[in-house]
């Protein structure tokens, strides 16, 4: 008898659909026989500026220590985060990317048979992690692609442990203002956690966009997740953090693997926090790129969802199919992101690149639509 390993897997894993990341550049080069240098990847909301020179210097300096285990407590990075954002070190949980924090909150707080609540069109990882721990993911219908916070609060039942709120949301680029967020938090029972995912926090320029960290003192059930993968330009290093009450952080840290953030990531993230100029340049470049893409979409008569982040979802005019346009863009060396898995089968998502990358994308799209 051969063993049926699928039957041995825990039930959540048996039904799991793995996360589909953006297509890597070298994979496209292999498949289409293209030169890597000619490929424009605008599929994973990465920072197009390349890493900060300060970060590269810090990594260089740390290389001779590679035989040592990392500082499992992440003392220096936590110190830098707490200095910069006015938190206590004990409020912080470091993650191998902020995806780790999303994982920890489910593993620490959600039992099999319980549930999490999130929005339609929200980040796919939430549902995947809930499924792994044997929980249900209640996806509340969105309004105009944005979270319906009233309906999300109303969807909470006695089995709900965590509500995931993404501000701004990926892949729609929609956002929640401060009043709406506070009204929502006021409605959430004290024994239900709220994970506020602020992966794109730095990019948002609107005056009434809330800073989740400032709400922590008033809401002990709030966990804010931030990442170094986007505006800080460190996606490859895999580092992010959760900020919460000390009590919740203690529980999150219990499920955290001891050396989940590696030494180079620790020094890179620490150095990036002292390079405000880099983040400012990233934000400025992003605003310009956003304008460039919006102008092109207007010119091409393409509908898009106004976004405050570093990406934009745009609608493929019928009778063309988004999946085909995606493939034809690939053949031209341009990688964007299909979001059919986010219940947006007619849309593609493009990350904001450098002016030159944006231009390359616009030209390729114009040709494909012609
Ligand atoms: C990119 C992203 C993250 C962070 O990813 P990490 O690289 O794991 O830090 C978290 N949430 C959303 C919505 C994202 O788009």
């Amino acid at each position: 008898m051969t063993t049926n390993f699928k039957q041995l897997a825990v039930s959540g894993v048996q039904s799991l659909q793995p996360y589909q990341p953006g297509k890597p550049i070298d994979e496209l080069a292999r498949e289409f026989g293209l030169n890597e240098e000619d490929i424009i990847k605008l599929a994973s909301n990465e920072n197009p500026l390349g890493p900060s020179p300060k970060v590269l210097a810090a990594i260089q300096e740390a290389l001779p220590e590679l035989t040592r285990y990392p500082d499992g407590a992440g003392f220096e990075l936590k110190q830098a985060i707490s200095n910069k954002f006015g938190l206590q070190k004990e409020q912080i949980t470091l993650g191998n990317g902020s995806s780790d924090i999303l994982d920890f909150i489910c593993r620490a707080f959600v039992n099999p048979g319980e549930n999490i609540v999130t929005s339609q069109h929200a980040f796919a990882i939430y549902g995947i992690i809930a499924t792994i721990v044997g929980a249900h993911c209640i996806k509340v219908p969105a309004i105009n692609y944005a979270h319906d916070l009233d309906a999300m609060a109303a969807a909470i039942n006695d089995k709900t442990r965590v509500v995931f709120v993404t501000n701004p949301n990926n892949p729609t680029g929609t956002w929640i203002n401060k009043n709406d967020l506070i009204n929502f938090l006021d409605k959430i029972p004290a024994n239900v956690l709220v994970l506020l995912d602020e992966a794109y926090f730095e990019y948002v320029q609107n005056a009434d966009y809330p800073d989740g960290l400032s709400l922590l003192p008033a809401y002990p059930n709030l966990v804010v997740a931030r990442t170094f993968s986007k505006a800080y330009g460190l996606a490859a290093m895999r580092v992010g953090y959760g900020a919460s009450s000390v009590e919740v952080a203690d529980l999150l840290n219990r499920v955290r693997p001891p050396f989940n953030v590696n030494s180079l990531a620790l020094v890179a993230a620490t150095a990036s926090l002292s390079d405000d100029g880099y983040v400012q340049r990233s934000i400025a470049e992003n605003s310009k790129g956003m304008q460039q893409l919006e102008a092109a979409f207007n010119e091409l008569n393409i509908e898009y969802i106004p976004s405050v982040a570093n990406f934009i979802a745009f609608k493929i005019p019928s009778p063309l199919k988004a999946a085909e346009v995606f493939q034809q863009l690939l053949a031209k060396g341009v990688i964007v992101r299909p979001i059919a898995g986010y219940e947006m089968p007619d849309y593609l998502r493009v990350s904001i690149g450098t002016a030159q990358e944006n231009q390359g994308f616009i030209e390729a799209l114009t040709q494909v639509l012609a």
Side-chain angles (χ1 to χ4, degrees):
M1 275 297 281
T2 51
T3 306
N4 184 339
F5 288 102
K6 190 168 177 203
Q7 253 170 25
L8 291 181
V10 296
S11 61
V13 172
Q14 289 181 21
S15 64
L16 197 67
Q17 296 298 324
Y19 179 73
Q20 293 193 329
K23 199 177 193 55
I25 290 175
D26 53 353
E27 188 180 302
L28 180 65
R30 276 196 304 276
E31 287 178 6
F32 285 74
L34 300 169
N35 288 325
E36 292 194 15
E37 309 78 64
D38 297 334
I39 291 174
I40 299 174
K41 184 186 178 210
L42 300 173
S44 302
N45 304 340
E46 294 148 340
N47 193 318
L49 297 190
S52 136
K54 281 194 186 173
V55 164
L56 293 179
I59 290 174
Q60 193 73 40
E61 202 177 318
L63 289 176
E65 299 300 321
L66 285 189
T67 51
R68 306 265 174 222
Y69 277 97
D71 172 9
F75 179 87
E76 286 192 15
L77 177 54
K78 281 190 188 170
Q79 184 84 282
I81 293 169
S82 51
N83 289 346
K84 194 164 179 92
F85 300 111
L87 297 165
Q88 292 169 254
K89 285 212 292 294
E90 295 72 22
Q91 291 181 271
I92 299 169
T93 308
L94 296 180
N96 189 288
S98 64
S99 309
D100 239 6
I101 307 304
L102 314 177
D103 187 45
F104 298 163
I105 197 166
C106 284
R107 291 202 290 137
F109 290 99
V110 188
N111 289 291
E114 296 179 333
N115 68 61
I116 66 151
V117 169
T118 186
S119 174
Q120 183 190 18
H121 315 305
F123 194 38
I125 297 276
Y126 313 143
I128 291 176
I129 294 166
T131 303
I132 291 173
V133 301
H136 304 288
C137 177
I138 299 177
K139 267 189 211 158
V140 176
I143 299 182
N144 277 332
Y145 297 101
H147 288 20
D148 181 347
L149 290 178
D150 290 341
M152 288 172 72
I156 292 172
N157 61 33
D158 58 1
K159 288 204 158 47
T160 303
R161 292 289 163 267
V162 189
V163 184
F164 285 81
V165 174
T166 327
N167 196 24
N169 186 49
N170 171 20
T172 58
T174 52
W175 63 288
I176 299 159
N177 70 34
K178 187 167 183 176
N179 260 336
D180 290 351
L181 183 62
I182 288 175
N183 286 338
F184 168 78
L185 290 170
D186 285 338
K187 282 189 216 157
I188 306 303
N191 63 351
V192 173
L193 288 150
V194 175
L195 188 291
L196 180 62
D197 186 338
E198 294 187 333
Y200 302 94
F201 173 83
E202 296 79 10
Y203 289 108
V204 188
Q205 304 300 300
N206 309 55
D208 57 348
Y209 172 70
D211 175 347
L213 299 181
S214 74
L215 300 172
L216 289 172
Y219 300 96
N221 57 340
L222 178 63
V223 179
V224 177
R226 296 253 179 110
T227 182
F228 291 93
S229 296
K230 310 282 163 54
Y232 289 93
L234 295 177
M237 299 307 294
R238 313 305 306 126
V239 53
Y241 60 96
S244 64
S245 68
V246 171
E247 199 181 342
V248 169
D250 171 55
L251 293 159
L252 295 176
N253 273 290
R254 291 183 196 194
V255 299
R256 185 181 64 82
F259 304 111
N260 64 325
V261 184
N262 74 68
S263 301
L264 300 185
L266 288 171
V267 298
T270 306
S272 76
L273 285 174
S274 67
D275 196 352
D276 288 337
Y278 177 85
V279 176
Q280 290 313 318
R281 277 197 302 286
S282 303
I283 295 165
E285 280 299 305
N286 188 65
S287 303
K288 277 195 266 174
M290 184 65 83
Q291 284 167 27
Q292 186 185 3
L293 289 186
E294 286 180 348
F297 289 144
N298 289 335
E299 181 101 344
L300 290 166
N301 254 322
I302 287 181
E303 254 181 72
Y304 58 87
I305 304 171
S307 165
V308 294
N310 67 340
F311 54 83
I312 184 163
F314 61 101
K315 193 170 183 181
I316 301 304
S318 63
L320 294 176
K321 297 269 176 266
E324 285 165 18
V325 172
F326 168 69
Q327 286 297 333
Q328 290 180 31
L329 287 172
L330 282 185
K332 293 182 182 298
V334 176
I335 315 174
V336 297
R337 190 68 159 269
I339 46 178
Y342 292 81
E343 299 179 48
M344 297 174 69
D346 303 331
Y347 281 81
L348 294 173
R349 189 196 68 192
V350 61
S351 307
I352 312 296
T354 61
Q356 200 187 347
E357 289 169 329
N358 298 335
Q359 192 52 38
F361 157 73
I362 292 164
E363 283 167 16
L365 181 66
T366 307
Q367 289 168 11
V368 170
L369 297 182

